[in-house]
Amino acid sequence: LSECLFFFVFLSTSFLFPLPMPPSVRPKAELLADIEQAYCRYDLDKCGYLTRRGYKLAFLSLHGTPPSKCELHSLFGAEGQGRILKPDFVSLMLNKAALWDEEDRRKHIFDAFDRQGKGFLTLEDLVWAFSQVAPHVKCTTIQQIFKEFDSWSDGRIRYSDFQKIFP
């Protein structure tokens, strides 16, 4: 069990390679640098502001998910013609980062494992995740990890099972 838990925790904490780390777990200086870098990268026309498209891309690069339609509408209006200046973008992203907590981090990791958005993890999901991060781990070990956390023994690790790993 301890070996299984070690591998599962290792995988969970290092799995987020395709998604940015939730803002709450980054040091503030690093977060600020990431925000400014995202702003510069997605100021697509290099005109000193973000368009709706640039904002969506910058937001996605920082949070791993696109902004809501409601948020985009409030920032850019119905026609999408608004603009976001750098100080406003930085302030907005820092405020959003402050809202992240450990539950968000847990959910972010679970969602990264659940590639199809089924709401649960299958053995196939776990095998794929390990192949990306720790390809040296044997399939039998992955199966043992999966069996340990599949509390209903139905081939699914639900979010409630996942929460027990990271109380």
Side-chain angles (χ1 to χ4, degrees), residues 24-41:
S24 63
V25 297
R26 291 191 219 154
K28 183 155 179 152
E30 181 183 320
L31 177 59
L32 188 57
D34 289 348
I35 291 169
E36 290 179 354
Q37 181 182 19
Y39 178 88
C40 291
R41 182 180 309 131

Side-chain angles (χ1 to χ4, degrees), residues 51-154:
T51 61
R52 180 184 176 108
R53 182 170 182 264
Y55 179 83
K56 284 172 66 173
L57 293 169
F59 188 98
L60 181 62
S61 75
L62 290 168
H63 297 285
T65 60
S68 69
K69 289 181 182 183
C70 181
E71 179 177 352
L72 289 171
H73 183 75
S74 69
L75 291 170
F76 295 96
E79 301 299 317
Q81 300 301 317
R83 298 174 178 168
I84 303 287
L85 299 174
K86 186 175 183 177
D88 298 327
F89 179 76
V90 170
S91 176
L92 189 60
M93 293 301 109
L94 287 174
N95 287 337
K96 285 191 174 295
L99 298 177
W100 279 74
D101 64 8
E102 280 304 306
E103 182 62 25
D104 291 326
R105 182 174 178 273
R106 242 189 323 271
K107 184 68 172 131
H108 189 76
I109 293 169
F110 183 84
D111 290 344
F113 279 49
D114 181 15
R115 296 178 298 153
Q116 285 111 17
K118 303 175 300 288
F120 57 86
L121 306 177
T122 62
L123 178 59
E124 181 182 305
D125 293 325
L126 207 56
V127 168
W128 178 84
F130 269 96
S131 75
Q132 300 300 306
V133 177
H136 62 281
V137 176
K138 295 178 183 175
C139 192
T140 54
T141 303
I142 299 169
Q143 291 170 338
Q144 184 181 0
I145 293 167
F146 187 84
K147 185 177 178 181
E148 190 68 38
F149 294 106
D150 178 9
S151 63
W152 290 82
S153 300
D154 63 353

